Amino acid sequence: MTSRHERDPEDTRAGDYAELAAVGPYGVRPGHALITMVEPHPGHEYAYNRWYEDDHYYAGAMAMPWMYAGRRWVATRALQELRYPEKSAVAQPVTAGCYLSTYWVTEGRYDEHMKWTVGINKRLNRDGRVYQDRTHVFTAFQDHAATVYRDGAAGPRDYHALDHPYAGLVLQVVDAEGPERRAELLEWLRSWALPRRLHGSPAAMVTVFRPTPLPGDRMTYVKQVEGVDSRLTLLWFLEADPRDCWDRFQGLDTEVAESGLGRVELVAPFVPTVPGTDRYVDQLR
């Protein structure tokens, strides 16, 4: 009899799935997220877009256990030029990173998902299914910290956010004035700053996350996450094109600075990609 550790290489261990499904959390809340902003190298924009959309979005993300929702976003050159502050600790130059992918991971399933994602990405790399002509500008798994809604109990919830047809998204990265101030910064954002900004705005919700360190056996082309003890990542989900309401997002850096709790390192608008097309690729440079 073949032992569990001496299986035929073609054995997919299908029986194990029934055992795994019977244990552990299986709620719908986005307890964790993968947020990854990437810059394809000049001249590789079309090839990168087709690789990511046709293969990697599925094989390297959505087909994985516990990653249950995803959405891709793009910043045309016009959108890149709206970004601030000019001197960003996240993006150098601040216009770097024209594609953003966002994914939700089931609450309580971070460890299980990470074991799978490290394993599958090693396999994809070995099999020549990883596109190398790109740079990870800002890539991090993150833990959910808060969601603030414009309309209270009305409207889509945060677990709907990556499936609802939002017209735009703004990525905001804020660093607290030291690890000991992050909880205070989060409470200020959740209780005062975000409700005030959301009121009457085209943003339906803001999700707030805390970045976590990447595993030591991650792929070498993805740099270790910075600011894991002091950083917050905000995703603003918009019902309007960000170019039509950018005045609503002016001064976020000044507002945070005046609070004395932290500093804004990036405010960057995006629009959703159109799956199966190369729309916007010719507008990146």
Side-chain angles (χ1 to χ4, degrees), residues 32-33 35 104 142-145 207-211 232-233 235:
H32 321 276
I35 301 171
W104 292 165
Q142 317 228 4
D143 289 338
H144 180 257
T207 56
V208 187
F209 294 89
R210 294 181 292 256
L232 294 172
T233 305
L235 301 177

Side-chain angles (χ1 to χ4, degrees), residues 154-203:
R157 305 289 86 192
D158 50 13
Y159 44 86
H160 301 130
L162 302 184
D163 295 308
H164 187 80
Y166 286 112
L169 177 140
V170 173
L171 168 68
Q172 180 185 0
V173 180
V174 186
D175 284 346
E177 292 294 343
E180 70 283 354
R181 304 297 300 276
R182 185 168 66 176
E184 188 179 355
L185 172 63
L186 174 61
E187 184 57 32
W188 174 79
L189 286 168
R190 176 169 47 195
S191 300
W192 188 83
L194 296 182
R196 177 175 170 272
R197 285 271 178 173
L198 283 169
H199 181 71
S201 84

